[in-house]
Amino acid sequence: MREITIDTLVRLLRECAGEDESVELDGDILDTTFEALGYDSLALFNTVSAIEREYSLEISEEAVSGAKTPADLLKTVNQALAGTS
């Protein structure tokens, strides 16, 4: 089964939206809100678009808008990869 990991998500966040210098993405960020990490809805849109391209997925806007933390987004993406979303 394919699965996206936190390391892959962090890589894509950095590639698609950059990184706020005051935020450390290498720590335990799973339950930190994207807002606290310095990422807005446009940054998430760009990141999700990259995930969709890289993994040949379609993820609904509703599912993405419900993802407030990296853990939420990983769950959404991995459900889509497993075909359960």
Side-chain angles (χ1 to χ4, degrees):
M1 178 176 97
R2 294 185 310 168
E3 183 175 271
I4 186 173
T5 65
I6 187 63
D7 293 331
T8 301
L9 179 58
V10 167
R11 175 183 58 82
L12 290 168
L13 282 167
R14 286 177 171 146
E15 287 175 7
C16 297
E19 181 177 0
D20 185 331
E21 291 180 15
S22 67
V23 176
E24 180 59 50
L25 291 181
D26 293 324
D28 183 14
I29 63 165
L30 279 173
D31 296 315
T32 305
T33 65
F34 285 113
E35 183 179 329
L37 293 171
Y39 294 104
D40 61 13
S41 59
L42 180 58
L44 280 184
F45 173 79
N46 290 337
T47 302
V48 169
S49 293
I51 291 169
E52 289 176 324
R53 284 189 306 277
E54 191 166 312
Y55 290 88
S56 300
L57 287 176
E58 254 188 66
I59 303 170
S60 72
E61 287 184 37
E62 294 82 24
V64 173
S65 67
K68 304 298 181 198
T69 66
D72 295 339
L73 185 56
L74 287 172
K75 180 179 177 184
T76 297
V77 170
N78 287 327
Q79 285 176 337
L81 283 168
T84 60
S85 64

